[in-house]
Amino acid sequence: MASLSEEVLLVLKKVRQRKQDGTLYLMAERIAWGPEGKDRFTVSHLYADIRCQKISPDGKAKVQLQLVLHTGESTTFHFSNESSAIKDRDAAKELLQQLLPKFKKKANKELEEKNRMLQEDPVLFQLYKDLVVSQVISAEEFWANKLGGVNNTDPALFNNKQEVGISGAFLADIRPQTDGCNGLRYNLTADIIESVFRTYPAVKEKYSENVPHNLTEKEFWTCFFQSHYFHRDRINTGTQDIFSECAKQDEKGLKSMVIQGVKNPFVDLLTLDDKTLDEGYGVSTTLPSTSNANRTVKESSNYAIIKRFNHHSAMVLAAGSHFWTPLCITLPAQFFFYIFFETSSTDGNSRDSDFFQPPVKKVKLQEAIEYDDLQRVNRPKTVPLNLKKSDRYAHGPVPLQSQQYTTSQEIINSVNYIRHEMANYKPNLTQVLSSTVASSAIAALSPGGVLMQTGAQQAINQMIPTEVQGELKHLYVAAGELLRHFWSCFPVNTPFLEEKVMKMKSNLERFQMTKLRPFQEKIQRQYLSTNLTGHLEEMFQTAYNKFHAWQTRRMMRKT
Amino acid sequence: MASEDEVSLLVIVVDVNPIWWGQHAQREPEFTLSKCLDAVMVMGNSHLAMSRTNKLAVIASHCQDSHFLYPSKSWKGADSGADDASSSGDGKYELLSVANNLIAEEMRNVMSKTEVRGNSTDTLLAGSLAKALCYIHRVSKELEVGQEIKSRILVIKAAEDCALQYMNFMNVIFAAQKQNILIDACVLDSDSGLLQQACDITGGLYLKIPQKIALAQYLLWVFLPDSEQRSQLVLPPPAHVDYRAACFCHRNLIEIGYVCSVCLSIFCNFSPICTTCETVFKIQLPHMVKPKKKKLKQLA
């Protein structure tokens, strides 16, 4: 069974499987085991079939490796070499760890896709059960139509994943826990690390410089959290720290952002200030000066915190949007061009670039006062309707029957008669109905009476139980699918279509035999002669007729 | 048991076409308009007796106009009713006796004012239905707070359908459907396609009765229960309604036809020009294989 051309990657002796001694071979595409002394392999699994591997925990006496296949079965190998059992097992495990992922993706993806489709669409699932499980058509034929066509667009959509933004609170979410003895534990996940790198590119630079040359990852992060860069008060920046440069860079970055200003022409940030109106309305102190020297300690620490907050928020926004600076997000993409001009000017003072300001402001104004939905739609000119005989619409579907023609004399007679009769009309309510008349009327209205005849014919869906109805629906869906395949082959132009037509005809016949006839027999046995499958039979018969006609024409053309 | 808050209004539209009734009375003297009206009164009394909050209205549908028999404008209330009530003397519920007397009186008035006119011999049924709908609308607006109303219209039809009233009829039917008002129909003589449609669309019952003298029994059995109670009873099943359209050229009822995409008029045959809106249409005919011309042998 072992082909000589296979490359053997690892051979492990003294591996037991099912209480038999043997040798384990790991090859390029499969793993195999053969018993001691024999040439052939009793167990062989392709890596593609293996779903996962499991190892017995370290403390156990038996050193085992288990392979779980996609189908659910598992094979266990017991490493019984006294000296090197664990080593052998680990070697096998490592090799498998490397090899399995390579083969996994190929087989899995398709299967997963198919499984997903079957799970999402119950109709498809039912169709699959009806056609493939009962072997009317093969699975390849079934999937040939489904995987191509409509569903091709779906995987493309899944690939365009949205970029995940950064949570503004990612640093706060780290939530250090006390270690018990005056230390702190920080739990870092890959997400948090990624957020830190995206928000603070300076830290990323430091990381790439120092790790893994100078510091391990653990040390780097410990240093990060210990440094004052991370902590609130960055007052002591004199200490030797790899992050002290980052602090300086941050200051520079923040300054440049402030200088750039906000591009929104309707917002003038400089006028937002803590103004005081009177005693009790706001703080009545002088405006805080921007020079550091005049600050009190408390004010400067507040100032530092606020500065860091702003910087942090600005960095988070900048990391989230790649194309434009976070301060220009509100403007429409058409004026992107203008924004680039503004940002490229070294003098960030927006008032200097007056030349470009009007369009931006105009656009914003337009946006605010116009709604696209309410604009007049420029529809193409239409021709007015020109009806010549519009009274035709007034007549309903009451066909012009021959009216009973009444002569004027008759009319006069009738009217006089009735007037005469009603002139002395007095209601006589005790003589309205006689009992014989009443009972005959009741007889007519009772079930089985003259007026109740049509009731028995109606509501066929109330006479047939729901399971039978459900089965009929499944039959229709499955038959419809087969017939669709059949009819799509015409006109038969290529040899492929010819083959398909013949295959489909045999499929139809098989379906009729295996599914339709038993169903018909069942309903005939249980219920009276309601013809539920007449239409299905008709459809099949039409298909067969078409096939025969096509076949005879083909024969004639050949001869 | 109907709750105090629910008002059930029944409007009975009686077809009193004098020409039809006159002709009919001469043919079958045992069932005349008087008998018909008696049966209607029995129905009305029964409806009023079912619950204290039930209301009734009766409209006579004539060829000249539609007239409210009950409630009447000339009803002065309890004052003048006292004499009539005491004169009946059988201890009847006053409301019923007042109603009966009013209906009879109004009927006599209507019939006495009938004039002979040859041009309009059709019952103005669409108009009566429209009046009924307006009355129902008015009553539903005059309800007290917290009261709900369920209304239905019962049409007792004698004469044939009038094709000219088709559009009005359909408008009335759809208006009734929007207002959740049932239209029931009790047909005495010839089947009426319009009323069949009305009953089908609004959810009412259509019945053509085999015996006219048993009209009261049919009315009480089939049309007295309201729509909730009807679901619990075994009543005549709804008839199959012919919804086929009629072609504009011959007025034949067709199942498959040609429709002009511009004016939506229906034809039974294809014609290259729509006769209603004069649009030109082309239809692809299968290729005509020209017969090969045989060369004539030249005579030497």
Side-chain angles (χ1 to χ4, degrees):
Chain A
M1 244 173 46
S3 52
L4 293 166
S5 54
E6 268 187 282
E7 186 195 331
V8 178
L9 297 170
L10 185 60
V11 178
L12 294 167
K13 293 212 166 54
K14 291 214 176 167
V15 177
R16 290 168 73 98
Q17 200 255 352
R18 289 189 202 227
K19 305 218 165 102
Q20 257 194 321
D21 275 322
T23 320
L24 185 67
Y25 299 85
L26 279 96
M27 261 107 50
E29 286 190 9
R30 59 180 178 139
I31 180 170
W33 179 87
E36 192 93 22
K38 298 223 178 103
D39 259 347
R40 52 178 186 80
F41 295 134
T42 32
V43 178
S44 162
H45 298 299
L46 288 173
Y47 293 132
D49 291 334
I50 299 175
R51 193 164 55 160
C52 65
Q53 57 166 339
K54 295 188 195 167
I55 55 173
S56 53
D58 286 331
K60 274 202 153 178
K62 261 187 166 185
V63 180
Q64 288 180 322
L65 176 80
Q66 186 184 54
L67 298 171
V68 184
L69 303 179
H70 287 302
T71 52
E73 350 169 327
S74 59
T75 320
T76 317
F77 297 107
H78 174 44
F79 293 84
S80 55
N81 193 340
E82 300 87 20
S83 48
S84 60
I86 298 179
K87 228 176 19 128
D88 286 345
R89 198 268 309 273
D90 286 339
K93 180 190 90 163
E94 297 281 338
L95 194 56
L96 277 173
Q97 255 184 347
Q98 289 170 17
L99 292 167
L100 282 180
K102 280 190 237 163
F103 293 89
K104 225 186 203 184
K105 284 190 183 143
K106 282 186 228 160
N108 245 0
K109 188 162 177 255
E110 261 191 59
L111 252 165
E112 258 184 48
E113 182 72 29
K114 287 181 189 171
N115 270 339
R116 187 187 60 88
M117 273 171 46
L118 284 181
Q119 272 169 19
E120 278 175 6
D121 191 359
V123 178
L124 192 67
F125 189 50
Q126 186 61 44
L127 200 59
Y128 185 79
K129 271 203 289 193
D130 280 339
L131 293 178
V132 177
V133 176
S134 58
Q135 299 192 350
V136 178
I137 65 175
S138 67
E140 294 98 44
E141 283 180 21
F142 180 78
W143 289 113
N145 219 19
K146 297 296 171 194
L147 284 181
V150 185
N151 293 309
N152 254 349
T153 56
D154 286 350
L157 288 173
F158 286 126
N159 285 340
N160 301 345
K161 276 191 266 190
Q162 272 187 317
E163 291 248 343
V164 181
I166 303 174
S167 154
F170 69 87
L171 283 178
D173 281 338
I174 298 177
R175 241 169 258 147
Q177 301 153 333
T178 48
D179 213 346
C181 39
N182 232 14
L184 290 170
R185 252 180 96 84
Y186 286 92
N187 261 338
L188 278 182
T189 62
D191 277 338
I192 296 177
I193 293 178
E194 198 194 317
S195 311
V196 173
F197 284 161
R198 273 169 78 179
T199 318
Y200 297 108
V203 176
K204 190 171 185 182
E205 270 177 42
K206 290 286 171 190
Y207 182 83
S208 48
E209 280 170 27
N210 289 321
V211 174
H213 320 287
N214 300 343
L215 307 162
T216 63
E217 216 177 311
K218 212 171 167 183
E219 287 174 9
F220 177 80
W221 289 111
T222 324
C223 211
F224 176 76
F225 287 119
Q226 277 176 350
S227 78
H228 287 285
Y229 175 73
F230 179 68
H231 288 279
R232 277 200 316 171
D233 318 321
R234 285 203 196 154
I235 302 175
N236 324 351
T237 46
T239 51
Q240 280 289 331
D241 215 344
I242 49 174
F243 296 104
S244 48
E245 284 171 30
C246 296
K248 292 195 188 116
Q249 268 186 347
D250 283 347
E251 288 256 357
K252 266 193 273 175
L254 192 62
K255 270 212 181 89
S256 68
M257 270 194 225
V258 169
I259 289 170
Q260 267 178 6
V262 181
K263 296 291 181 288
N264 192 344
F266 290 107
V267 173
D268 192 1
L269 278 180
L270 299 176
T271 56
L272 296 174
D273 221 337
D274 285 334
K275 290 212 177 71
T276 75
L277 292 177
D278 203 349
E279 236 182 78
Y281 292 92
V283 179
S284 62
T285 54
T286 52
L287 292 167
S289 58
T290 49
S291 62
N292 278 342
N294 296 348
R295 289 174 191 277
T296 62
V297 173
K298 186 165 171 235
E299 255 185 38
S300 66
S301 68
N302 286 347
Y303 179 72
I305 293 175
I306 292 174
K307 204 165 71 158
R308 279 202 63 202
F309 272 137
N310 288 337
H311 175 67
H312 176 77
S313 310
M315 295 301 285
V316 168
L317 281 176
S321 54
H322 296 288
F323 302 112
W324 40 53
T325 63
L327 306 167
C328 321
I329 288 174
T330 51
L331 293 166
Q334 299 146 301
F335 291 90
F336 197 63
F337 175 67
Y338 293 102
I339 310 305
F340 261 131
F341 258 92
E342 301 233 49
T343 53
S344 64
S345 62
T346 48
D347 182 8
N349 195 345
S350 53
R351 276 175 237 267
D352 264 5
S353 32
D354 262 347
F355 184 62
F356 292 109
Q357 210 172 41
V360 168
K361 208 168 181 176
K362 203 174 179 185
V363 163
K364 284 220 74 124
L365 274 173
Q366 251 191 333
E367 242 189 358
I369 59 177
E370 284 176 357
Y371 282 109
D372 279 334
D373 297 345
L374 298 179
Q375 300 287 4
R376 187 176 287 272
V377 178
N378 288 333
R379 288 204 198 93
K381 286 218 154 188
T382 50
V383 180
L385 188 61
N386 180 17
L387 294 174
K388 294 281 179 248
K389 298 180 190 165
S390 55
D391 58 325
R392 280 176 169 185
Y393 295 99
H395 281 287
V398 180
L400 295 170
Q401 295 155 338
S402 53
Q403 298 284 345
Q404 286 180 350
Y405 185 66
T406 44
T407 63
S408 41
Q409 188 57 45
E410 277 179 22
I411 294 175
I412 298 172
N413 287 346
S414 317
V415 170
N416 286 337
Y417 188 94
I418 202 77
R419 275 168 71 169
H420 179 79
E421 181 201 325
M422 295 303 286
N424 306 317
Y425 169 59
K426 251 190 148 28
N428 187 1
L429 296 183
T430 53
Q431 302 289 325
V432 171
L433 208 53
S434 77
S435 52
T436 43
V437 167
S439 47
S440 67
I442 294 175
L445 285 170
S446 311
V450 169
L451 295 170
M452 309 288 276
Q453 288 302 335
T454 49
Q457 290 168 6
Q458 286 178 343
I460 198 171
N461 68 334
Q462 288 171 5
M463 287 181 7
I464 312 290
T466 39
E467 314 92 52
V468 177
Q469 285 184 43
E471 240 183 275
L472 187 65
K473 278 188 208 160
H474 291 320
L475 276 178
Y476 260 97
V477 172
E481 182 70 17
L482 289 176
L483 284 167
R484 186 172 67 81
H485 278 281
F486 177 81
W487 286 106
S488 64
C489 302
F490 291 94
V492 183
N493 295 329
T494 66
F496 167 72
L497 283 177
E498 272 184 42
E499 255 182 65
K500 192 171 176 200
V501 152
M502 301 214 253
K503 221 179 355 155
M504 286 320 296
K505 174 173 186 275
S506 57
N507 283 342
L508 285 173
E509 283 174 339
R510 215 173 344 155
F511 180 83
Q512 210 177 3
M513 279 304 126
T514 56
K515 291 282 178 109
L516 204 50
R517 297 255 179 273
F519 179 71
Q520 275 174 320
E521 280 160 24
K522 185 172 115 178
I523 55 172
Q524 261 172 9
R525 255 183 290 131
Q526 296 178 13
Y527 312 105
L528 299 175
S529 58
T530 38
N531 187 8
L532 292 176
T533 54
H535 180 237
L536 276 174
E537 296 272 351
E538 216 182 289
M539 290 201 288
F540 278 115
Q541 197 53 48
T542 325
Y544 295 148
N545 292 344
K546 176 78 181 178
F547 183 78
H548 289 312
W550 169 76
Q551 231 179 9
T552 41
R553 233 181 285 141
R554 200 158 142 256
M555 299 294 187
M556 278 172 54
R557 245 185 283 136
K558 279 187 180 171
T559 56
Chain B
M1 284 271 274
S3 68
E4 288 278 333
D5 303 326
E6 196 162 85
V7 173
S8 174
L9 169 59
L10 172 67
V11 182
I12 308 180
V13 175
V14 190
D15 179 3
V16 295
N17 190 332
I19 301 159
W20 189 88
W21 279 105
Q23 284 177 331
H24 184 84
Q26 290 168 354
R27 272 180 273 150
E28 290 176 30
E30 65 270 4
F31 186 71
T32 59
L33 183 55
S34 331
K35 284 254 186 277
C36 178
L37 280 173
D38 287 348
V40 166
M41 265 193 237
V42 167
M43 172 74 181
N45 290 351
S46 313
H47 178 78
L48 286 174
M50 294 280 275
S51 161
R52 211 167 51 80
T53 55
N54 278 3
K55 293 189 204 256
L56 178 71
V58 183
I59 303 177
S61 184
H62 201 271
C63 14
Q64 298 159 200
D65 61 357
S66 315
H67 196 91
F68 266 91
L69 297 180
Y70 178 81
S72 157
K73 280 181 249 183
S74 59
W75 183 26
K76 289 168 200 85
D79 305 330
S80 66
D83 303 337
D84 295 334
S86 56
S87 68
S88 69
D90 55 0
K92 205 189 290 184
Y93 180 26
E94 226 179 70
L95 179 60
L96 299 185
S97 60
V98 164
N100 293 345
N101 293 336
L102 269 177
I103 293 174
E105 197 184 312
E106 285 300 321
M107 198 64 218
R108 286 192 290 266
N109 288 343
V110 167
M111 279 303 160
S112 61
K113 290 187 205 143
T114 308
E115 291 162 15
V116 180
R117 264 191 239 155
N119 49 358
S120 64
T121 59
D122 289 314
T123 326
L124 297 175
L125 200 51
S128 314
L129 286 176
K131 274 202 180 176
L133 286 179
C134 291
Y135 180 76
I136 292 172
H137 185 83
R138 192 182 101 194
V139 170
S140 55
K141 288 277 184 268
E142 287 173 352
L143 287 177
E144 288 167 12
V145 175
Q147 271 188 326
E148 288 170 7
I149 187 164
K150 278 182 99 55
S151 18
R152 57 191 205 270
I153 302 177
L154 169 61
V155 179
I156 299 177
K157 191 162 181 328
E160 292 88 21
D161 267 348
C162 171
L164 298 170
Q165 294 178 16
Y166 174 71
M167 288 304 264
N168 303 338
F169 224 101
M170 296 313 284
N171 283 337
V172 163
I173 293 170
F174 288 122
Q177 188 201 26
K178 278 273 160 60
Q179 301 282 313
N180 291 328
I181 297 171
L182 294 180
I183 298 182
D184 299 318
C186 184
V187 173
L188 300 179
D189 194 17
S190 48
D191 266 322
S192 154
L194 290 173
L195 278 177
Q196 276 179 346
Q197 282 193 36
C199 299
D200 195 44
I201 291 172
T202 57
L205 268 175
Y206 176 88
L207 188 65
K208 177 172 174 327
I209 54 179
Q211 281 177 299
K212 288 198 268 290
I213 40 174
L215 176 64
Q217 182 60 47
Y218 287 111
L219 288 180
L220 292 174
W221 185 278
V222 179
F223 296 107
L224 187 57
D226 62 18
S227 56
E228 284 157 15
Q229 295 159 5
R230 282 180 201 177
S231 57
Q232 317 288 326
L233 301 169
V234 177
L235 293 172
H240 173 72
V241 185
D242 191 356
Y243 275 119
R244 285 182 294 170
C247 70
F248 279 36
C249 31
H250 315 104
R251 293 271 130 212
N252 299 329
L253 293 175
I254 52 174
E255 285 169 4
I256 300 178
Y258 296 85
V259 178
C260 169
S261 51
V262 174
C263 62
L264 297 181
S265 42
I266 303 168
F267 299 103
C268 46
N269 283 320
F270 171 73
S271 69
I273 300 181
C274 169
T275 41
T276 321
C277 62
E278 303 198 342
T279 324
V280 179
F281 288 102
K282 284 188 205 152
I283 194 168
Q284 284 220 333
L285 298 165
H287 285 293
M288 300 285 285
V289 180
K290 288 190 190 154
K292 288 190 181 147
K293 288 187 187 160
K294 289 193 180 150
K295 284 187 184 164
L296 293 168
K297 276 189 184 162
Q298 289 210 336
L299 294 170

